[in-house]
């Protein structure tokens, strides 16, 4: 099974922590961008050799698309491919874009799942992150979405902010549990280069939250959501049974996907491709120039399997890993050490991280890299 990702590179504002590709001044060329996205779909959709199971509108802010723009993209997708086996069509939405009219349009267009960027219920943190929405909009949008018959709703939260106390974090978690959504993604704030927050840290104007605070909030998150009936199936993702994200789940399993739009990535089992991260350069692309690519070496496939698999509750399949390389003594010694530390277990021939191990997932994976 395969998936299609469409990157919509527009945002109303630049959030202070965000290093995704987007532009806030897109008014004059948005028509040209939509035309170029349609052209890329036409050029590349037939390269997907497996049945399409998921479509994902990400960004950027896809909830800024008008109904005409969304219809144009769907129409090209339907013309170019068989969508009869699609099981999940996700659109990322910001609370300030959600209203009766947009919800009706999304329903009509065929969106089956909304991923809503709530992020926080604390006004000063929303302002600090330069989000475009208010606490009231964060609280009101989910009941409105439910009223319109969407039952597959995911909400995003951010923790590990410098001024977020444990009590405030517990309150945010209680609020999303009370919303009774199918899925919750919660990300620990990381200060990425080229972000406003990074500049503040460099100038000595911001002190990031400490590791202890972030770890404590991660443990509160996991324990609270698991007690409320959510599966903690990936480090940052929690789903009610049967409501795990299919699209992202397929990424972690190594399924094929086609990424459309500036900065989007694609994978066909052998080659990884990435589109240029510049709107104007992207709009000049055509033919076979849409992307740069690299053929994954066995070493890359080994490292990627560990990096993604160790983040999931299923873990890393030993058979799949050892089909790439036979494990050497250094690998086995490190695994044994991680097990003694209580960070890793082996179950059903899979390497799986414990809750404590998940706090160090990237470090553990990197120690096992080739
Ligand atoms: S709305 Fe999303 S993509 Fe846009 S700047 Fe904010 S976090 Fe980044």
């Amino acid at each position: 099974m395969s998936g299609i990702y469409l990157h919509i590179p527009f945002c109303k504002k630049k959030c202070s922590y965000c290093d995704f590709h987007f532009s806030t001044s897109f008014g004059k060329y948005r028509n040209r961008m939509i035309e170029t996205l349609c052209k890329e779909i036409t050029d590349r959709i037939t390269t997907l050799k497996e049945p399409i199971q998921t479509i994902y509108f990400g960004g950027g802010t896809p909830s800024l698309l008008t109904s005409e723009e969304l219809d144009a993209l769907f129409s090209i997708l339907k013309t170019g491919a068989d969508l009869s086996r699609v099981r999940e069509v996700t659109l990322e939405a910001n609370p300030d874009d959600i209203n009766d009219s947009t919800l009706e349009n999304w329903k009509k267009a065929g969106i089956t799942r909304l991923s809503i960027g709530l992020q926080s219920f604390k006004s000063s943190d929303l302002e600090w992150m330069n989000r475009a929405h208010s606490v009231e909009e964060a609280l009101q949008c989910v009941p409105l979405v439910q009223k319109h018959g969407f039952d597959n709703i995911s909400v995003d939260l951010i923790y590990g902010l410098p001024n977020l106390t444990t009590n405030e974090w517990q309150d945010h978690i209680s609020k999303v549990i009370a919303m009774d959504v199918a899925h919750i993604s919660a990300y620990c704030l990381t200060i990425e280069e080229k972000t406003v927050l990074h500049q503040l840290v460099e100038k000595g104007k911001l002190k990031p939250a400490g590791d202890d605070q972030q770890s404590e909030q991660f443990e509160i998150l996991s324990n609270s959501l698991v007690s409320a009936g959510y599966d903690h199936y990936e480090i940052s993702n929690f789903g009610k049974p049967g409501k795990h994200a299919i699209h992202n789940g397929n990424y972690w399993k190594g399924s094929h996907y086609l990424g459309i739009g500036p900065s989007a990535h694609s994978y066909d089992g052998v080659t990884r491709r990435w589109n240029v991260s510049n709107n104007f350069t992207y709009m000049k692309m055509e033919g076979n120039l849409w992307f740069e690519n690299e053929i994954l070496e066995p070493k890359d496939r080994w490292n990627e399997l560990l990096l993604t698999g160790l983040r999931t509750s299923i873990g890393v399949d030993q058979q799949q890993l050892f089909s790439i390389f036979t494990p050497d003594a250094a690998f086995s010694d490190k695994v044994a050490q991680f097990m003694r530390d209580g960070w890793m277990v082996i179950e059903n021939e899979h390497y799986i991280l414990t809750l404590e191990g998940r706090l160090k997932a990237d470090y553990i994976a990197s120690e096992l890299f080739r």
Side-chain angles (χ1 to χ4, degrees), residues 7-24 58-64 92-94 96-97 117 119 129-133 156 158:
H7 189 84
I8 310 301
F10 308 145
C11 289
K12 281 184 195 161
K13 290 173 83 176
K14 181 177 173 58
C15 300
S16 59
Y17 56 87
C18 179
D19 71 341
F20 294 154
H21 171 71
F22 65 92
S23 164
T24 53
T61 311
S63 52
L64 288 176
E92 289 179 352
N94 281 341
D96 45 307
D97 295 327
Q119 316 307 2
M129 292 189 278
N130 202 33
R131 295 289 304 181
H133 68 274
D156 285 2
I158 300 184

Side-chain angles (χ1 to χ4, degrees), residues 192-203:
E192 306 288 352
E193 278 186 33
K194 297 186 193 158
T195 61
V196 174
L197 294 186
H198 190 259
Q199 290 166 12
L200 292 175
V201 172
E202 292 285 288
K203 288 180 190 156

